[in-house]
Amino acid sequence: EDPDALEDEPPWLTRLRCSFHEERWDTVTAIVMAMGGSPQSRLLHITLVQEVMLRSPDHFERLLRAFWDRDIEPHHAAELYCDVEPWLREQEPRDATWHIALRALLRAGRVTQGL
C-alpha cells in the first residue's frame, strides 16, 4: 500500500498510484478503461498528471506506450500530454519520448497541439 495515499482516497485511486509507481501498466490501463467515462475521470486524469510529473520523461513515455499497446481511447494520452507538456519540455526528453507523444496526438486528431 502507498504510504503517501490520503486516508480518504478511493481504493481505485490508491491502486492507480501504487501501480504507476511499480510500472504495472496492465493495471494502470485497466483502471483508466474502467474509470475513464465515470464521474471520477477528472480525478483519474489529475492523478496521472501528478504521477508523471513526479517521475521522469521515461515514465511518461512508458505510460503512453501502454496506452497505445492496450488501445486506450486516444483522448486520454492527448489530454495527458497537453497537461504535462511544459514540464516535459523542461525535462529535455529523448527523441523517442517526443515520438510517442506526437503519435498519441496524431491518433487523437490533435497534432497541432504538439507543434
Side-chain angles (χ1 to χ4, degrees):
E1 203 167 300
D2 185 352
D4 296 329
L6 299 174
E7 287 185 27
D8 60 346
E9 186 172 83
W12 66 266
L13 193 56
T14 302
R15 188 169 172 222
L16 177 68
R17 289 183 193 281
C18 290
S19 298
F20 192 95
H21 287 255
E22 296 169 5
E23 296 188 39
R24 292 189 325 231
W25 304 120
D26 285 335
T27 303
V28 171
T29 55
I31 293 169
V32 170
M33 285 191 290
M35 301 302 293
S38 77
Q40 300 287 335
S41 63
R42 188 69 191 142
L43 179 57
L44 167 77
H45 179 77
I46 290 168
T47 302
L48 286 174
V49 168
Q50 290 171 342
E51 293 302 323
V52 162
M53 293 175 67
L54 288 172
R55 304 290 174 303
S56 70
D58 291 342
H59 278 83
F60 176 65
E61 179 184 333
R62 287 192 287 274
L63 177 61
L64 291 187
R65 284 190 190 284
F67 281 11
W68 180 271
D69 292 343
R70 290 154 184 91
D71 203 29
I72 300 296
E73 287 290 324
H75 72 90
H76 290 291
E79 288 175 18
L80 186 59
Y81 169 79
C82 290
D83 284 347
V84 303
E85 188 243 345
W87 167 85
L88 189 63
R89 288 187 185 279
E90 288 177 6
Q91 304 304 308
E92 300 179 358
R94 59 196 190 108
D95 289 344
T97 303
W98 289 117
H99 180 260
I100 193 75
L102 184 57
R103 188 167 66 172
L105 290 170
L106 280 167
R107 189 168 174 229
R110 294 169 64 174
V111 72
T112 56
Q113 291 177 329
L115 300 177

